[in-house]
Amino acid sequence: MARIDKHLVEWVKEGFLSEEQASRIKAFEAERPTGNWLVYGFLALGASAIGIGVISLVAANWSDLPEMVKLGSAFLLLMGLAAGVYVNQGEEREIAREIFLLLFIFLCMATIGLISQLFHTGGRLTSALLFWCAITLPAATLSGKGFVPKLWATVALWSFVFWYATSVWWLIPLPEESRWSSVMYAVPLFSLLVAMLLQGVDRGAGFADAFSLWVPWTALTALFTADIKTAEHSGVFMTDAGSLMPGFALGMVLLLLLARHSVPGQRLPFMGGLLLYVIGLPFAFMAPVPGLVGAALSLLILFAGVVAFALLGRTRMANFFILLMGMRFMILYFQAFGGLALTGFGMIVSGGVVLGLILWWQKNRKRINRWLLEVAA
Amino acid sequence: MNGRWVVVALLLPIAALMGLSFIKYHQRESGREVRLPIQGFDPRDLLSGHYLIYRIDYGATDPCGGWSGKEEAVPQYHFCVDDKIFISGRTHKNSCFPAIAGRCERGRFTADVERFFIPERYAVPLDRAVRNRQGEVILSVKGNTAVVKELLIDGRSWREYGETP
């Protein structure tokens, strides 16, 4: 039974809907064009494979063709694909438009590669990718499905990150390790900021989703790296204060945005979690912090992630973060006690504490939510 | 979706790429030709994919030899084509033209002209020729910008050299 059918049965049982209303809702949903995501997924895969194949052909060198013929063919093909996107406007032709659009942006990348090949251009890959992002952004907004904006946003984010990590530092000379710490710390904050700014922009939602997708994974990478470094080098400075300034500045901007624009019931938990990350991570990277303090910080940040995803209704991610907390607890006990028996005893005690907390939370969560709303208001 | 926006969104990348092609073509055809010997720097493999990667012998001491690359800001230099000397990027204010602008990278002066696309079937003979110091590159230099125009082996075009049995 589809999910909505299950819900409708429950709602009718609870008296929220009549049988007739439930039938009308079912009929309406059945007639709605679902977009068939599975078909779309395979079509996107096929189109991506074609795009990658074209790029590979470019890389194989068409040595026997004159350069004008190669360039001319590429531009003719681009115009043909552009025409394909243009003539397939309208909801009923969405899939065809998406395929043409995907092929179009892939061919733009292939053409950049072709120009680089014909004119033997040097320079960094990140520069080529950023150029591609700049010229294909308007085209990416034509997508209705989300795959093209996700692809574009992923390339844009990582091109910018690698460009930032390798090119900007001639302005601020820093050791290489400091640069990468700075980048790791700042990436999730940058992704989150871009996602929040794009939410309010017309046709920006697809891009905002793509940027926000990267936030938890890049934050976890930074957290684990800081955790490992803290555990390995307790009592030793890791990096320079200056290298963490860009991320810290991003964090402050985010706190301001959250203070002004987030939903009242979510504001405090989100700001609290963000503060933990923005201040806790540099503390773990820089201060002479004992390994156990770093572990406690990790657990607190992971807990903030659990709360954030729970408030956003993303239960799978919340559960995943809970799992990570459990694993970190285990590692903590190994760090603290070093032996299986004591670790086992510690785990039983802390498991009991966790269960007790959860039971207490279940009993009192309505009261706590009301309090949070009062405080936020 | 606004029809005009669709047209602009689709034409913008095509126009940008055409513009880029024209700029590169113009840079290559309108600059002054400068011929410089080349040599490989990695005895194991000069070929990165289908690129021939080489080091240019400017006929002057490389200013980047002593740069550690770890903690300092990346130095910028210009190679004055007529005087055959390197001058610091900071002091160069229209003091020599044409010049090849570059930076220090991995202890060497790099001007983004150190690679050349070649078809796979020419890889072996060209690889051997560059190792034997038979190679030269023709750069087209205009203002401070240099682009690669041609690769010569023993004074002949690389293609002619590669096709000679």
Side-chain angles (χ1 to χ4, degrees):
Chain A
M1 192 188 272
R3 204 185 283 176
I4 187 145
D5 292 343
K6 266 195 209 162
H7 288 318
L8 286 171
V9 166
E10 280 171 10
W11 294 334
V12 166
K13 205 171 155 189
E14 294 294 325
F16 300 138
L17 294 174
S18 67
E19 288 274 3
E20 194 210 333
Q21 283 171 321
S23 304
R24 281 168 60 193
I25 291 170
K26 255 196 240 180
F28 175 80
E29 288 297 320
E31 277 168 27
R32 189 204 289 269
T34 58
N36 202 337
W37 61 269
L38 191 61
V39 171
Y40 178 71
F42 277 108
L43 287 168
L45 179 66
S48 302
I50 292 171
I52 290 166
V54 170
I55 290 170
S56 300
L57 267 177
V58 170
N61 279 277
W62 304 333
S63 59
D64 298 325
L65 289 174
E67 67 181 36
M68 286 302 149
V69 171
K70 291 178 196 175
L71 271 177
S73 308
F75 285 123
L76 271 174
L77 199 50
L78 270 174
M79 285 191 259
L81 291 171
V85 175
Y86 185 76
V87 302
N88 284 293
Q89 298 300 304
E91 255 189 61
E92 65 282 1
R93 297 184 181 178
E94 199 171 13
I95 290 180
R97 184 176 71 246
E98 291 299 308
I99 293 168
F100 276 110
L101 190 58
L102 197 55
L103 287 171
F104 177 76
I105 64 169
F106 266 118
L107 189 59
C108 287
M109 179 68 77
T111 308
I112 293 172
L114 179 62
I115 293 169
S116 175
Q117 181 189 101
L118 292 175
F119 297 102
H120 312 287
T121 58
R124 296 194 164 101
L125 176 61
T126 49
S127 305
L129 290 174
L130 286 170
F131 176 70
W132 176 84
C133 289
I135 65 173
T136 56
L137 173 59
T141 65
L142 303 178
S143 170
K145 276 290 176 191
F147 180 73
V148 168
K150 279 191 175 67
L151 173 69
W152 185 94
T154 300
V155 173
L157 174 66
W158 290 105
S159 308
F160 179 76
V161 166
F162 279 98
W163 170 80
Y164 172 78
T166 56
S167 305
V168 177
W169 301 98
W170 65 271
L171 289 171
I172 318 163
L174 279 175
E176 205 165 324
E177 190 184 338
S178 293
R179 295 180 209 170
W180 286 105
S181 302
S182 176
V183 168
M184 260 192 286
Y185 172 57
V187 166
L189 300 167
F190 177 73
S191 292
L192 184 57
L193 179 63
V194 173
M196 286 178 70
L197 292 173
L198 286 176
Q199 277 294 350
V201 171
D202 188 30
R203 297 196 75 79
F207 296 90
D209 284 345
F211 279 101
S212 62
L213 214 65
W214 283 104
V215 173
W217 306 109
T218 50
L220 282 174
T221 305
L223 179 62
F224 292 155
T225 307
D227 206 349
I228 290 167
K229 279 178 175 289
T230 313
E232 277 177 356
H233 304 291
S234 288
V236 177
F237 280 96
M238 254 29 98
T239 187
D240 307 82
S243 65
L244 297 173
M245 279 302 122
F248 194 77
L250 283 169
M252 293 301 111
V253 171
L254 278 166
L255 280 169
L256 278 169
L257 282 175
L258 281 174
R260 289 191 64 178
H261 297 291
S262 55
V263 172
Q266 296 176 348
R267 190 172 296 152
L268 271 184
F270 282 163
M271 287 178 70
L274 182 63
L275 258 176
L276 263 175
Y277 178 86
V278 170
I279 294 175
L281 228 69
F283 187 62
F285 267 129
M286 288 174 51
V289 171
L292 294 183
V293 172
L297 271 170
S298 277
L299 284 166
L300 278 171
I301 293 172
L302 286 171
F303 180 68
V306 172
V307 170
F309 284 116
L311 286 170
L312 289 169
R314 292 178 61 184
T315 47
R316 274 188 201 163
M317 283 302 287
N319 284 334
F320 176 65
F321 269 63
I322 291 171
L323 177 68
L324 289 176
M325 279 185 74
M327 287 166 66
R328 190 59 188 89
F329 253 122
M330 206 155 67
I331 296 169
L332 170 63
Y333 279 103
F334 275 118
Q335 274 178 281
F337 301 114
L340 274 175
L342 279 172
T343 301
F345 175 74
M347 290 293 287
I348 290 168
V349 168
S350 53
V353 167
V354 168
L355 284 173
L357 274 172
I358 294 300
L359 285 169
W360 175 82
W361 166 259
Q362 270 293 99
K363 240 178 145 177
N364 296 284
R365 85 185 139 88
K366 284 183 185 155
R367 210 162 6 124
I368 293 168
N369 278 343
R370 263 201 307 273
W371 175 77
L372 281 171
L373 281 167
E374 279 166 23
V375 168
Chain B
M1 177 71 66
N2 184 335
R4 205 179 291 174
W5 171 250
V6 174
V7 171
V8 168
L10 293 171
L11 287 182
L12 174 67
I14 298 174
L17 290 168
M18 282 183 171
L20 179 65
S21 306
F22 176 75
I23 288 168
K24 292 295 172 192
Y25 178 80
H26 180 71
Q27 279 176 343
R28 189 182 66 185
E29 300 302 321
S30 65
R32 176 175 142 187
E33 285 191 6
V34 175
R35 194 159 148 170
L36 295 164
I38 62 171
Q39 59 196 58
F41 64 89
D42 182 345
R44 289 168 297 163
D45 190 2
L46 291 179
L47 300 169
S48 173
H50 296 289
Y51 294 89
L52 188 70
I53 301 179
Y54 44 80
R55 184 167 44 186
I56 296 177
D57 181 1
Y58 289 96
T61 309
D62 193 324
C64 300
W67 184 58
S68 67
K70 293 276 181 194
E71 296 189 6
E72 302 150 26
V74 177
Q76 314 284 315
Y77 287 97
H78 289 78
F79 174 72
C80 296
V81 170
D82 290 326
D83 301 330
K84 292 199 185 320
I85 54 168
F86 284 99
I87 58 173
S88 166
R90 285 188 214 96
T91 59
H92 172 77
K93 283 188 198 302
N94 304 320
S95 55
C96 77
F97 275 112
I100 300 173
R103 63 193 179 278
C104 293
E105 203 168 279
R106 296 195 187 103
R108 276 189 298 277
F109 175 75
T110 304
D112 292 333
V113 289
E114 288 82 12
R115 64 182 201 179
F116 194 92
F117 276 95
I118 54 169
E120 204 169 346
R121 67 174 187 269
Y122 297 109
V124 170
L126 289 179
D127 177 24
R128 199 183 316 122
V130 172
R131 284 179 201 282
N132 293 339
R133 299 185 177 230
Q134 295 167 269
E136 289 174 296
V137 69
I138 298 180
L139 303 178
S140 174
V141 184
K142 190 170 183 178
N144 286 340
T145 311
V147 296
V148 176
K149 192 163 181 178
E150 182 59 278
L151 177 71
L152 301 177
I153 306 290
D154 277 346
R156 294 180 284 163
S157 149
W158 63 273
R159 196 181 288 274
E160 197 186 319
Y161 178 86
E163 283 168 357
T164 308

